[in-house]
Amino acid sequence: MRLRALLDTDALGLRLLGGEDELDRTVRGVMTTDLRDPSRYLSGGELVLTGLAWRRDAADSEPFVRILVQAGVAALAAGEAELGDVPDDLVVACARHRMPLFAVHESVAFATITEHVVRQVSGERAGDLAAVVDRHRRMMTAGPAGGGPDVVLDLLGSDLDLRAWVLSPAGRLIAGPKTAGPALPAETCGRLAAEHLAAVRTGRRGPHRLTLGSTTYSLFPIRSSSRSPQAARDVRETVLSDWLLAVEADAGDWPGERLDLLQGVTQLIAVERDRRDAARTVRRRLAQEVLELVQTGAAPAEIAARLRVAAPVLLPGLGAAPHWQVVVARVEWEGGDVEGGPVAQSLLEEILVDPQATGPEPSDRIAVAHTGDEAIALVPFPAVSAEHDGSEAGILADALLESVRAPLSAGLEDDGRVTLGVSAAVHSAEGLRGALEEARHARRVAAARPGRVCAAGHQELASHVLLLPFVPDDVRRAFTARLLDPLRDYDRRHRAELIPTLEAFLDCDGSWTRCATRLHLHVNTLRYRVGRIEQLTGRDLSRLEDKLDFFLALRMS
């Protein structure tokens, strides 16, 4: 479509500020940004929408416009909602570089312009998928009955023979074609999400491609269509929450028209994602109110009353009062210049979902609030039968960690960290304060462990592992060095494997037969190695005290 056609559409509220001679330029897509340098996300031909949050003073306009020109952008449209009139310095910079400039009236949402451009471009360049746009528009006005992103993916399959899936950053399958073969395996979802996050963090321009076995996938980011003027100015603010579109095809040799089409599809799905996020506002407010009552020491009756309001919102149709768990997450970036709380909130909303469940709806069965760098989730689940006490019901930290560690580690790269703590289930408002403290303690235990993504559950708080993370580093180093350094030195010189032998011996509770079997050794060989350990350290592995010291040293090393 031409820029002139946008200007002639009264409903878009566009006012031309410069570039009258350039109105015959072709628009190939649309992008909303408030990044100071959005070049990594531009492929040329876009109408760029901005709320001007990147502009701190007049000197910022010239470099911003220059970046757009170098990327081949068709035109710039600046919103008037944040600053009022578009600044003169931006008008001058656009005129200097022959960049058409529009002002967007404050009453017009960027999402309205985005949908219009996507609809027009998709219709003009891919008539075979005009049904996608029309069906999606009807879906957005009809609500959940319209079918969600699955409808768009089904039409991609039927009209272009493309199998595609929408994935969360942690690799959860959010949507997929219901009429085109088997579902994408969980392992494949995780690997695709990890590749996408790693590519985003390194600034590689999409679509990103990954070959698994004999199948090549192309990965397209799905970014919010409404990031203005509160748009992310740092990729770390959204890398752990943005969805992605995985297409079973190699987009490396696609013509521009087909790439434009897929970019348009991601923008359509982004509108649905934004609507889903808006619907979470009520749940977030419920979580914030409950947690404020808990943390300010409100009476249990007052907390219980608030929970009775929250329960039917989160678990509609549930007859009995649910049980509750608390999950605490913290996202920390080196340098401290990115607020971790909103990132952790979005992350919890994406990962606290049954791995077998698809679609966005199940993730709305939680309520997540954030404060500072911490996010806190209230997770309800139906009370178990009388034969069970509920202690093992709900979310388990190990299972949660296993499902998200690989993809999220790729998104955190070398400068980020996620730590999670999970409480036990509680049955009433009286237990909620203790559950919050339990989850926070568990998160601190997780934070003391190595790794980019760590989690701990309530079960570990009754164990020695609760104490180990809080041993001062100098004491930890001295204790482990005194016991283990002689064995490490000996292993290094003689390849004797004394450390693995010690670990296996303790793990077998000192049983010579079981340990020898595990290590595939003769018992006499095992006795020789244990004797060498005792000789080098001056300890006696038949004594409980010495066994315990070795056990703790191995855990702290």
Side-chain angles (χ1 to χ4, degrees), residues 28 38 64-65 72 175 178 203 212 308 321 360 401 461 482:
R28 299 175 56 192
F64 181 78
V65 174
K178 299 188 180 302
L212 299 177
R308 283 194 294 272
L401 178 63
L461 301 187
R482 187 180 303 116

Side-chain angles (χ1 to χ4, degrees), residues 482-483 533-535 537-541 545-546 549-550:
R482 187 180 303 116
L483 281 174
I533 291 170
E534 294 174 334
Q535 179 185 13
T537 60
R539 299 299 185 104
D540 182 354
L541 278 168
E545 293 86 346
D546 287 343
D549 283 349
F550 276 122

Side-chain angles (χ1 to χ4, degrees), residues 120-138:
Q120 294 300 317
V121 171
S122 298
E124 292 174 6
R125 296 204 170 195
D128 57 344
L129 269 183
V132 172
V133 179
D134 291 338
R135 179 69 176 272
H136 188 80
R137 177 177 52 79
R138 292 196 300 271

